[in-house]
Amino acid sequence: VQLQASGGGLVQAGGSLRLSCAASGLTFSNYHMGWFRQAPGKERELVAAVAWRGGTYYADSVKGRFTISRDNTKTTMRLQMNSLKPEDTAVYYCAADRSTWPLSGYTTNYWGKGTLVTVSS
């Protein structure tokens, strides 16, 4: 199984980035998918998730700014991040969970390598 995250980078506050996660080796449509992030010195947190049937979850800190989506035919997941803030700076990880909703880092089945998002003030 591979989850390949991409799209991170450096952006100024107020800007936008779009993260993508390409999945292979699993039956994508059977998994809840999500994005976690971890900032230096902080615990990992669930940012947004999309259920295998399409329901969504957002952390309060990103509601109204981030939009998560999935394409089961292309086995990809995206996170559109708008109005970025310096506090959004973190390594973002895509994750797949067969059973837990919203995703829990403790039961997540598969993790991708992180992609760094840096938001300058």
Side-chain angles (χ1 to χ4, degrees), residues 57-105:
Y57 163 88
Y58 295 97
D60 287 343
S61 59
V62 306
K63 281 181 182 176
R65 301 188 297 121
F66 290 11
T67 303
I68 192 169
S69 62
R70 66 186 294 159
D71 185 333
N72 288 342
T73 61
K74 296 182 179 178
T75 66
T76 58
M77 171 180 64
R78 289 194 172 88
L79 184 69
Q80 179 66 42
M81 305 186 294
N82 298 329
S83 302
L84 283 161
K85 303 176 181 180
E87 51 263 45
D88 294 318
T89 295
V91 178
Y92 285 70
Y93 300 89
C94 61
D97 195 309
R98 185 69 176 84
S99 58
T100 303
W101 178 258
L103 275 69
S104 164

Side-chain angles (χ1 to χ4, degrees):
V1 174
Q2 270 198 321
L3 300 179
Q4 184 67 48
S6 61
L10 173 64
V11 65
Q12 287 189 330
S16 298
L17 282 175
R18 188 174 72 173
L19 304 184
S20 295
C21 177
S24 60
L26 75 169
T27 305
F28 184 78
S29 58
N30 287 353
Y31 285 79
H32 305 313
M33 300 295 296
W35 291 95
F36 289 81
R37 69 185 179 188
Q38 188 164 23
K42 294 189 176 181
E43 293 188 355
R44 181 180 57 200
E45 63 172 342
L46 178 64
V47 175
V50 55
W52 62 273
R53 284 187 174 180
T56 57
Y57 163 88
Y58 295 97
D60 287 343
S61 59
V62 306
K63 281 181 182 176
R65 301 188 297 121
F66 290 11
T67 303
I68 192 169
S69 62
R70 66 186 294 159
D71 185 333
N72 288 342
T73 61
K74 296 182 179 178
T75 66
T76 58
M77 171 180 64
R78 289 194 172 88
L79 184 69
Q80 179 66 42
M81 305 186 294
N82 298 329
S83 302
L84 283 161
K85 303 176 181 180
E87 51 263 45
D88 294 318
T89 295
V91 178
Y92 285 70
Y93 300 89
C94 61
D97 195 309
R98 185 69 176 84
S99 58
T100 303
W101 178 258
L103 275 69
S104 164
Y106 298 102
T107 62
T108 294
N109 300 100
Y110 304 108
W111 293 95
K113 292 183 180 179
T115 185
L116 177 63
V117 172
T118 304
V119 184
S120 64
S121 57

